[in-house]
Amino acid sequence: MHNEKRKTNLLLLLLLLITVSAVAVTVWALFFREPTVILAPDYAPREEEENAEPIPDDSGSKLEQPEGGGAVNLIYMTDVTVDLSENSAGLLFGNPQKSTQDMLLQIVVQGQVIAQSGRIVPGKRVMVLDLLPGGPKLSPGGYADCKFVVSYYDPESGEKALLQTEIPISLSVAE
């Protein structure tokens, strides 16, 4: 009888240990795990950004570029407004005709990508980007630690350039 009681206590202790471990893993997964980072692709998306439009009065010859390299010119404003009711971000970002590279734009808030463009070709600008489905939940107000991350791609091969640009921005969120 003493042996059965010992086995029962051991079994209860084992079940308690499994339960505590499961709760600990769940708490870690919900609150302490690093968020999933969305990476810019190694090759440019085939589709051009659906919200891209021609840049008015954009003309001029291409910038000079070193062999095997690229040259870019950017047009942007650092104020971005997210409209939660429209699930979109209002911004100004352009890839002028002078550039020799295609671009992909990400809006990053506190280390998490909230919006990502398709391919932005020279001569086009973006004034609206849709927020990523399943992205981080934003609340109305202002956000610090925000940036544009711009990746560059060879227009012929679609291959991503080694360098990218990070531009600090201010982001405000409205319902």
Side-chain angles (χ1 to χ4, degrees):
M1 180 154 192
H2 178 65
N3 202 15
E4 277 184 41
K5 187 174 182 181
R6 189 171 185 197
K7 285 182 182 179
T8 303
N9 285 343
L10 189 58
L11 182 60
L12 286 174
L13 183 62
L14 182 62
L15 289 175
L16 180 64
L17 183 61
I18 290 171
T19 302
V20 168
S21 297
V23 168
V25 168
T26 302
V27 168
W28 169 80
L30 291 175
F31 299 107
F32 299 106
R33 186 174 53 172
E34 286 293 316
T36 302
V37 176
I38 299 171
L39 303 174
D42 291 328
Y43 290 89
R46 288 190 175 139
E47 313 82 35
E48 283 189 38
E49 170 57 39
E50 64 183 21
N51 294 316
E53 59 186 45
I55 298 173
D57 302 322
D58 182 34
S59 61
S61 58
K62 295 284 187 192
L63 296 170
E64 289 187 31
Q65 66 181 12
E67 186 176 324
V72 296
N73 193 7
L74 303 174
I75 297 172
Y76 62 88
M77 290 182 58
T78 59
D79 294 327
V80 176
T81 303
V82 170
D83 184 338
L84 295 175
S85 66
E86 296 290 324
N87 203 36
S88 65
L91 65 140
L92 172 60
F93 182 86
N95 183 6
Q97 192 66 42
K98 293 179 181 183
S99 295
T100 64
Q101 302 285 295
D102 293 346
M103 298 179 189
L104 181 135
L105 175 68
Q106 294 178 317
I107 301 174
V108 179
V109 177
Q110 298 173 0
Q112 297 189 47
V113 178
I114 65 163
Q116 179 172 297
S117 74
R119 189 166 46 100
I120 304 170
V121 299
K124 298 285 182 116
R125 72 178 181 187
V126 176
M127 299 189 70
V128 174
L129 281 180
D130 296 329
L131 299 181
L132 291 174
K137 302 297 180 212
L138 300 173
S139 299
Y143 286 80
D145 190 20
C146 304
K147 60 188 171 187
F148 285 148
V149 176
V150 186
S151 299
Y152 306 102
Y153 297 88
D154 182 280
E156 308 233 348
S157 69
E159 188 174 351
K160 184 178 178 184
L162 295 175
L163 300 175
Q164 64 184 48
T165 301
E166 294 186 4
I167 304 167
I169 61 171
S170 65
L171 186 107
S172 60
V173 177
E175 289 191 87

